[in-house]
Amino acid sequence: HRDVVVRHDEARAAQRVEPVGAPTADGAELLDAVLDALTKYVIFPNEGTAVAVALWVAATHALPAWQHATRLIIKSPQKRCGKSRLLDIVKLLSFKPMPSTDMSTAVIYRSIGDDDHETPTLLIDEADALFGTKSKAEQNEDLRGLLNAGFQRDRTVWRCVGPNQTP
């Protein structure tokens, strides 16, 4: 894994990524190790799915270098098929995992912050429970707005915070 420093110009148009220090492993070897860990504990429907999850895990560590964040959706039509097991393994491999089955919008807003090098990887288990019914979806409109806007840089979602309700 390499520590990555991203330097932004004023317009954020020209980004340059520079590795800091010597890498601890060859990138291909590291991805192979992630893939091995995933396939040791989870049975995937095909090799491509396992590779996609391994690449997603790697992407969580390289987020400061990218304009967009990718999303991983773990779903199956069957209960007890290994979704939670996969989430457990992903949690161990991802950058600063923040797992929850029911986190408030306020917690997420306060956790993501402005520093890409500190932003956690949100792992929302049972996300369908947050939006599954019309009533639940209406209760979670702030969260939906954050998740819909949060995959791309400069898609700001504003809130007032603090005792003075500062924007």
Side-chain angles (χ1 to χ4, degrees):
H1 139 287
R2 290 180 188 228
D3 292 323
V4 176
V5 174
V6 179
R7 291 189 166 75
H8 303 279
D9 67 1
E10 290 179 4
R12 295 181 65 108
Q15 292 186 0
R16 189 172 45 133
V17 178
E18 299 176 10
V20 176
T24 57
D26 174 79
E29 290 175 7
L30 188 56
L31 283 172
D32 285 343
V34 169
L35 186 60
D36 289 345
L38 288 165
T39 56
K40 180 176 181 178
Y41 297 103
V42 178
I43 297 171
F44 290 90
N46 55 56
E47 184 181 6
T49 304
V51 169
V53 174
L55 291 171
W56 183 86
V57 165
T60 68
H61 293 272
L63 185 61
W66 296 12
Q67 179 66 22
H68 294 84
T70 59
R71 293 185 180 160
L72 176 68
I73 298 173
I74 302 169
K75 64 180 189 172
S76 172
Q78 297 177 353
K79 293 184 178 216
R80 304 196 52 79
C81 66
K83 296 184 300 287
S84 294
R85 170 62 61 148
L86 176 56
L87 187 61
D88 290 342
I89 304 304
V90 164
K91 178 177 68 175
L92 294 172
L93 297 170
S94 298
F95 177 78
K96 290 191 69 166
M98 185 177 167
S100 178
T101 54
D102 184 22
M103 63 178 75
S104 73
T105 305
V107 167
I108 296 172
Y109 273 96
R110 287 170 177 82
S111 298
I112 56 177
D114 293 332
D115 185 352
D116 287 345
H117 298 285
E118 295 299 321
T119 300
T121 301
L122 299 177
L123 301 172
I124 304 172
D125 194 9
E126 304 294 339
D128 58 325
L130 296 172
F131 306 109
T133 66
K134 183 177 181 181
S135 170
K136 281 298 220 177
E138 288 171 355
Q139 293 171 13
N140 291 303
E141 277 303 312
D142 283 346
L143 180 57
R144 180 191 312 274
L146 175 64
L147 295 175
N148 285 343
F151 78 97
Q152 184 175 351
R153 293 189 192 287
D154 302 323
R155 300 286 192 238
T156 305
V157 178
W158 290 87
R159 294 293 182 270
C160 292
V161 296
N164 296 329
Q165 292 296 299
T166 307

